[in-house]
Amino acid sequence: MSTTISVIGVGYLGAVHAASMAELGHDVIGLDVDADRVAALNDGHAPFHEPGFEQILRRGLQADRLRFTTDYADLADVEVHFLGLGTPQRTDGNGADLRYLRAAVDSLREVLPARGGAPTLVVGKSTVPVGTARTLAEQLGAVEGVHLIWNPEFLREGFAVKDTLAPDRLVYGVADPEDHEATEAAVGRLDAVYAQILERGTSRLVMGFEAAELVKASANAFLATKISFINAISEMCEATGADVTDVARAIGMDDRIGPKFLRAGVGFGGGCLPKDIRAFMASAEDLGVGESLAFLREVDAINGRRRIRVVELAAEMLGAETTSGLRGRRITVLGAAFKPDSDDVRDSPALEVACRLREAGAQVRITDPEALAGAARRAPGLETEQDTDQALRGAELVLLLTEWGQYKELDPARTRELVEVPRIIDGRNVLEPRQWREAGWEFRALGRP
Ligand code: UGA
């Protein structure tokens, strides 16, 4: 059965959610205050690179099941509203900036009474500090017929469509999970929206608002910790001559540990993990239990150190005693996005390393199949080159910092013909050192001899 749905805030999460809900057969309207973004989406153009997204966007638009607006008045008849607004890091500290979410809820409250008390569900998907949902529920509950469920999103960029349509689990946070009578109707309404996902046997967990908020924050904190853990071991490997990929492979075979998120390298970036662990720490401090999450400060610090280590390694390989000796040296950086299959450069390790090298006076050229426009906006002085061969030409040192497929498959012999001096740092541990060394390259990696 189809439901009329709105998705308020059509950034990465919201736009993918809107198109995915249309794909499930619902009648969807996406809303954003950014008129250019709304126009692009209405024209079937994805404002970001995400495999499979543009296809489902166009399919929804063509079937007349999906449209986008800037006007809250268009949401008056909607039965289920999803909140997909961004909660970036505050400029004055580590906490999350809830201003966009609050403004959206204020605007939504004005149109909700138009339903005349008919049951209406508001579903929060944004990543928020624990306690936010209960406050919003109090505001929204004042409108007759309106219920709130907190339903965190776990999608990964690059797999966003798949993660939305086939999630590992669905989490519903409600005001009082013991009060079945009060929650039954709202839970049933959201189950109807996700019916096709639930029919496949996907787990659906109902819990309190606070637990649902903590599930999201804890999941990202755990992932960040796992990456920083292996990167800390990587530092131990560098001090001892061990190979971190051997350590990771062997510990990952213990299924209590598991092999995923144990790829050592230049560390995590993006619009989620870095800001989410900081917001989580800020939230713990606000609650008076700052020491509980103090270890995340170390997780953040280890992550930051990997970026600096790449710069130091670059100086070492170029025979410069300090990074100031990098002046004028020609360095090519492969990758600008924070991870492959994404054009997102927010807090990208690759971009930060490129900028640090340039600040030290190096002549840096950066290439990426999708993220150069974003990189040029964030770091206007960097030299960008779309073509990989062109980017490599004349380099004295190559840095692989985002593991796009085409960089993993570079042929060492052919690449050697392009560069000036065959020196490479594999910042993602995706190349086969022996192959590169045999082809005459000076090869270094993070946490590998
Ligand atoms: C992350 C989470 O994985 C999602 O579950 C979550 O929904 C999302 O944040 C969010 O909160 O919205 P995402 O930011 O798309 O997703 O990226 P990840 O795939 O988690 O990668 C994050 C960073 O960690 C990347 O820079 C990646 O290169 C790095 N990474 C990942 C490693 O350095 N090593 C690894 O082993 C894995």
Side-chain angles (χ1 to χ4, degrees):
M1 217 177 59
S2 111
T3 307
T4 55
I5 286 177
S6 89
V7 179
I8 304 173
V10 285
Y12 219 108
L13 182 166
V16 173
H17 195 72
S20 300
M21 293 303 104
E23 188 73 7
L24 292 180
H26 301 300
D27 187 7
V28 184
I29 179 160
L31 181 142
D32 206 286
V33 292
D34 181 341
D36 291 339
R37 176 171 282 259
V38 163
L41 287 165
N42 273 328
D43 285 341
H45 298 304
F48 43 77
H49 173 80
E50 179 61 44
F53 170 64
E54 210 161 72
Q55 287 91 307
I56 62 165
L57 169 70
R58 292 190 176 166
R59 202 147 54 217
L61 293 167
Q62 272 154 16
D64 241 352
R65 281 198 303 267
L66 179 61
R67 69 195 173 96
F68 297 88
T69 183
T70 54
D71 189 356
Y72 276 89
D74 292 343
L75 270 46
D77 297 328
V78 165
E79 301 164 83
V80 179
H81 300 276
F82 284 94
L83 304 172
L85 298 118
T87 51
Q89 186 173 336
R90 293 168 66 109
T91 46
D92 61 351
N94 270 349
D97 185 348
L98 298 181
R99 136 174 58 149
Y100 307 109
L101 182 63
R102 291 210 179 98
V105 170
D106 285 344
S107 303
L108 178 62
R109 274 185 55 172
E110 310 219 331
V111 300
L112 287 171
R115 301 255 307 149
T120 308
L121 185 63
V122 178
V123 185
K125 295 209 75 74
S126 309
T127 301
V128 292
V130 55
T132 308
R134 198 162 295 278
T135 312
L136 294 180
E138 277 161 21
Q139 280 176 29
L140 290 164
V143 187
E144 205 199 327
V146 176
H147 274 89
L148 178 74
I149 291 185
W150 210 262
N151 170 223
E153 180 56 60
F154 305 103
L155 68 79
R156 297 159 297 168
E157 294 189 14
F159 301 89
V161 174
K162 178 191 160 286
D163 286 350
T164 306
L165 291 172
D168 293 338
R169 75 297 206 192
L170 292 165
V171 171
Y172 296 3
V174 299
D176 180 1
E178 299 306 320
D179 186 349
H180 298 288
E181 218 172 301
T183 55
E184 203 184 330
V187 166
R189 206 165 291 278
L190 191 53
D191 281 351
V193 172
Y194 293 139
Q196 292 173 50
I197 298 172
L198 291 168
E199 275 159 19
R200 287 197 301 268
T202 308
S203 302
R204 180 267 264 153
L205 307 161
V206 180
M207 58 189 76
F209 280 142
E210 290 75 14
E213 292 166 322
L214 282 173
V215 168
K216 171 69 194 189
S218 319
N220 276 3
F222 189 84
L223 294 171
T225 303
K226 206 169 172 193
I227 299 168
S228 277
F229 174 83
I230 200 64
N231 281 332
I233 301 303
S234 181
E235 294 181 344
M236 286 298 288
C237 289
E238 281 163 21
T240 56
D243 186 330
V244 71
T245 64
D246 289 337
V247 179
R249 190 168 347 109
I251 64 173
M253 284 176 183
D254 180 333
D255 51 345
R256 292 169 304 173
I257 298 173
K260 292 182 181 160
F261 272 67
L262 278 185
R263 277 181 290 110
V266 71
F268 59 81
C272 301
L273 298 192
K275 77 144 171 84
D276 287 355
I277 58 168
R278 292 173 200 147
F280 203 18
M281 282 186 273
S283 173
E285 268 154 34
D286 289 346
L287 291 163
V289 289
E291 58 295 5
S292 304
L293 298 186
F295 73 95
L296 290 177
R297 208 167 304 134
E298 208 48 52
V299 167
D300 204 7
I302 293 165
N303 196 50
R305 280 207 298 273
R306 293 286 78 190
R307 302 177 185 195
I308 292 164
R309 173 71 188 134
V310 177
V311 176
E312 287 168 356
L313 199 52
E316 199 182 307
M317 285 180 83
L318 289 169
E321 280 188 8
T322 61
T323 51
S324 60
L326 288 167
R327 191 157 299 283
R329 308 303 294 271
R330 288 186 306 280
I331 301 177
T332 295
V333 174
L334 300 175
F338 83 104
K339 67 175 193 180
D341 296 313
S342 166
D343 60 357
D344 196 340
V345 294
R346 285 177 293 171
D347 207 343
S348 160
L351 196 55
E352 185 182 332
V353 168
C355 288
R356 281 178 181 271
L357 290 166
R358 194 186 47 136
E359 277 157 27
Q363 227 178 296
V364 182
R365 190 184 291 157
I366 191 163
T367 184
D368 189 288
E370 297 291 341
L372 288 186
R377 270 196 303 276
R378 264 186 200 238
L382 275 183
E383 184 188 338
T384 56
E385 170 56 60
Q386 188 71 47
D387 183 75
T388 311
D389 282 6
Q390 259 331 91
L392 287 163
R393 233 173 268 282
E396 295 173 79
L397 172 66
V398 178
L399 267 54
L400 191 165
L401 298 181
T402 313
E403 68 280 31
W404 285 93
Q406 58 257 58
Y407 305 151
K408 291 202 280 191
E409 278 149 30
L410 280 174
D411 175 54
R414 194 182 158 272
T415 310
R416 197 186 159 173
E417 303 296 310
L418 299 168
V419 299
E420 173 91 21
V421 188
R423 289 190 194 103
I424 187 163
I425 299 175
D426 177 6
R428 292 291 184 178
N429 290 331
V430 289
L431 302 177
E432 192 43 64
R434 182 151 25 105
Q435 232 187 352
W436 286 74
R437 288 187 178 126
E438 278 172 8
W441 286 77
E442 186 186 341
F443 181 97
R444 299 288 295 269
L446 296 177
R448 305 185 86 174

